Every structure is written in structure tokens, then in C-alpha cells.
């Protein structure tokens, strides 16, 4: 059974940093599509960072490039999102998503429809 559990959210002031963690189980991280998404109140869910775990290449949304870094620890079956220089507009619920045994093009990594499995989310609040 595939499970994704996010943690690490919280409240910070603008300019601060957080590290989100997605612990996974039920499949191998050796060759999968994985991503971080976020959803602010009243807005659609949007992809912020996607990774093909087979080659480790990460693709970022323009809104977070240079501030967010996605990474993985295959030994721990864990995905990370390091968020720096946070802005109030980064406030949202953040979700981890996985599509096991897949390789995704850059154009599909940040699409909601690419993913079958989702975590429950972790909330990030950035105050000005």
C-alpha cells in the first residue's frame, strides 16, 4: 500500500526558511515521478517542484526558482523541499505526490493529473 506522509510545515516570517519532508512507503524510489504541490485557499493546486527519482533531475515552477530546492534520499525513501526566502504568497497547504515506476517529461512533472498517490498535506504560513 503506497503511503505518503508530509511534515515540516509551520509559520514563519517573510524571508524565513522551512524544510518539508515527505516520507514514503509501499514502493521503491528508484524510478518514479514525484512532486511537491501547493494549494492556497480559493486557488487551484499548483506544482512547485517535480523530480524523476531515477536521474534526480528536478524541475521547478517559475514562482519558486532560486528559492526552493527539491531533493531525495533513496535510502530513506524520503523526498525533501527546502524553501528559502519565503514570501507571503507562498502560504498554502503543501502536498507530496507520487507516480511509481514512471518517468515523466518536464511538461508533465508538475501536472496534477500525472499523479495517483497524494499525501495529506502540511500547512505553510508566511507572514509579512
Amino acid at each position: 500500500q503506497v503511503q505518503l506522509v508530509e511534515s515540516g510545515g509551520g509559520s514563519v516570517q517573510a524571508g524565513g526558511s522551512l524544510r518539508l519532508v515527505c516520507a514514503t512507503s509501499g514502493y521503491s524510489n528508484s524510478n518514479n515521478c514525484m512532486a511537491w504541490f501547493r494549494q492556497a485557499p480559493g486557488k487551484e493546486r499548483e506544482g512547485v517542484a517535480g523530480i524523476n527519482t531515477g536521474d534526480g533531475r528536478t524541475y521547478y515552477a517559475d514562482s519558486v526558482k532560486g528559492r526552493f530546492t527539491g531533493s531525495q534520499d533513496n535510502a530513506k525513501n524520503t523526498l525533501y523541499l527546502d524553501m528559502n526566502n519565503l514570501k507571503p504568497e507562498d502560504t498554502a497547504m503543501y502536498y507530496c505526490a507520487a507516480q511509481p515506476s514512471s518517468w515523466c517529461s518536464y511538461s508533465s512533472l508538475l501536472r496534477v493529473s500525472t499523479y495517483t498517490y497524494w499525501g495529506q498535506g502540511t500547512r505553510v504560513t508566511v507572514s509579512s
Side-chain angles (χ1 to χ4, degrees):
Q1 180 180 359
V2 176
Q3 288 189 322
L4 308 174
V5 180
E6 303 97 332
S7 62
S11 297
V12 296
Q13 291 191 328
S17 299
L18 284 173
R19 168 174 258 203
L20 303 185
V21 180
C22 175
T24 73
S25 60
Y27 69 97
S28 166
N29 269 10
S30 62
N31 195 20
N32 314 290
C33 303
M34 296 194 69
W36 288 97
F37 287 79
R38 66 186 181 188
Q39 189 166 19
K43 295 189 176 181
E44 292 187 354
R45 190 168 297 191
E46 64 170 348
V48 296
I51 186 170
N52 279 303
T53 61
D55 60 20
R57 291 185 178 182
T58 308
Y59 179 68
Y60 299 95
D62 288 343
S63 58
V64 305
K65 275 182 186 175
R67 300 188 300 121
F68 289 13
T69 303
S71 61
Q72 58 183 17
D73 184 333
N74 288 342
K76 296 181 180 180
N77 289 344
T78 302
L79 194 70
Y80 303 96
L81 185 67
D82 289 299
M83 307 186 296
N84 297 307
N85 191 21
L86 283 160
K87 304 176 180 181
E89 51 264 41
D90 295 318
T91 295
M93 186 72 83
Y94 282 72
Y95 299 91
C96 176
Q99 187 60 27
S101 302
S102 300
W103 182 90
C104 295
S105 65
Y106 278 178
S107 63
S108 63
L109 266 175
L110 298 186
R111 287 184 196 155
V112 171
S113 60
T114 296
Y115 298 92
T116 300
Y117 300 100
W118 295 82
Q120 83 289 348
T122 185
R123 187 173 300 280
V124 172
T125 303
V126 185
S127 57
S128 58

